Amino acid sequence: MPYFIDENVYTSIVDGNVLILDLKTNKYLALDCRNKPDLLAAVDSAARDPHRELRLEDALGNELEKEISDLIAHGVLTQRKSERRRAHFEFDLPTGSLISGPPAAPGWVPPRALLWFFAAFISMCFRLKVLGLRNVVEYFEATRSGAELNSQQEISRAEWLVRTFCRIRPWVYTAHEKCLFDSIILTRFLRLHGYAARFVIGTHPLPFSAHAWVQIGDRVADDTVEVIRAYRPILTA
């Protein structure tokens, strides 16, 4: 019987562990495949080619029937082929940070920046709280465009925008332990200013942890390279 990775599921493989993010439930799953190379290879191939049929029973045998049943029960595997899902695994971690030092150093905030901030905040709050994370990801995937950091002038302007964003943010919400929410708002804010900002979720297997950040090209906008390199991207939009 053929199966496919569900369109709402994103996976990342780290040290023989399959980490799974399900956008339907906004939950993570971890599958220990360190001693199950056949299952690891099957899940990896399904993630890389979501339109490929996988006849898992024939390929893996009865000894992995429970693991396969669990993946089906959790909605990771499905018999329905989707046209929506995009590959997401080809992504390089940042090699540098957009800003250095305290991001929210005192400074003047122009009124127009306030308008852009609240435009990003209100629109993304609605999408995330009412329509869900899947809608946010679909929106970012469909509107992925903008300028990269190809000159020092563009780098300086993007840095100023991030610092301005960080000056406004404490008056509206706290980013403490809210990296997902904060990164969604910042991604939209930078895109409103014409930058090709990428929203990224990364995971770490043992002990399990997840983190979200914003990246423009090879630079992380809202964190440090040292922090980000502890994670493997599981979703980029």
Side-chain angles (χ1 to χ4, degrees), residues 109-120:
V109 176
R112 179 174 293 183
L114 288 170
L115 294 176
W116 288 121
F117 179 94
F118 281 105

Side-chain angles (χ1 to χ4, degrees), residues 9-233:
V9 169
Y10 290 79
T11 62
S12 177
I13 297 175
V14 184
D15 299 330
N17 296 278
V18 179
L19 304 178
I20 299 165
L21 169 60
D22 188 349
L23 295 184
K24 295 193 304 295
T25 60
N26 292 345
K27 291 183 178 180
Y28 294 93
L29 299 172
L31 187 63
D32 186 352
C33 294
R34 285 174 292 182
N35 298 317
K36 302 166 185 173
D38 291 338
L39 181 59
L40 180 66
V43 174
D44 183 46
S45 64
R48 292 178 177 274
D49 185 4
H51 303 301
R52 175 185 174 185
E53 292 185 357
L54 296 177
R55 297 186 178 274
L56 295 177
E57 297 94 332
D58 299 336
L60 304 180
N62 295 330
E63 67 273 11
L64 295 176
E65 184 176 349
K66 180 181 184 303
E67 285 83 353
I68 296 170
S69 298
D70 288 344
L71 290 174
I72 296 171
H74 282 102
V76 175
L77 295 178
T78 179
Q79 293 179 262
R80 182 171 58 88
K81 186 175 181 179
S82 172
E83 299 298 329
R84 185 195 74 84
R85 182 168 156 72
R86 298 183 180 184
H88 59 277
F89 48 84
E90 297 296 341
F91 186 76
D92 295 325
L93 286 171
T95 58
S97 299
L98 186 59
I99 60 177
S100 58
W108 179 68
V109 176
R112 179 174 293 183
L114 288 170
L115 294 176
W116 288 121
F117 179 94
F118 281 105
F121 177 78
I122 293 170
S123 63
M124 290 297 101
C125 277
F126 174 77
R127 287 186 179 275
L128 183 62
K129 303 297 184 182
V130 178
L131 303 177
L133 181 58
R134 169 178 169 169
N135 181 271
V136 172
V137 172
E138 289 179 341
Y139 176 74
F140 281 157
E141 287 179 342
T143 59
R144 185 185 297 164
S145 64
E148 300 288 350
L149 302 177
N150 297 320
S151 68
Q152 185 57 49
Q153 182 179 3
E154 290 174 346
I155 293 173
S156 298
R157 180 172 177 264
E159 178 183 0
W160 180 85
L161 286 170
V162 173
R163 291 188 183 279
T164 300
F165 178 92
C166 292
R167 293 185 189 111
I168 301 170
R169 182 180 61 200
W171 297 97
V172 183
Y173 67 91
T174 176
H176 181 62
E177 297 184 349
K178 293 183 178 179
C179 60
L180 179 75
F181 179 76
D182 187 53
S183 295
I184 288 172
I185 306 301
L186 179 58
T187 298
R188 179 58 177 155
F189 179 79
L190 290 171
R191 288 191 179 187
L192 285 172
H193 287 86
Y195 284 97
R198 300 285 295 273
F199 169 66
V200 188
I201 297 177
T203 55
H204 185 276
L206 297 171
F208 176 80
S209 62
H211 186 49
W213 67 89
V214 181
Q215 195 167 324
I216 307 177
D218 62 354
R219 293 178 182 251
V220 57
D222 55 347
D223 217 319
T224 65
V225 173
E226 291 73 23
V227 170
I228 298 306
R229 284 187 174 174
Y231 297 89
R232 179 71 62 86

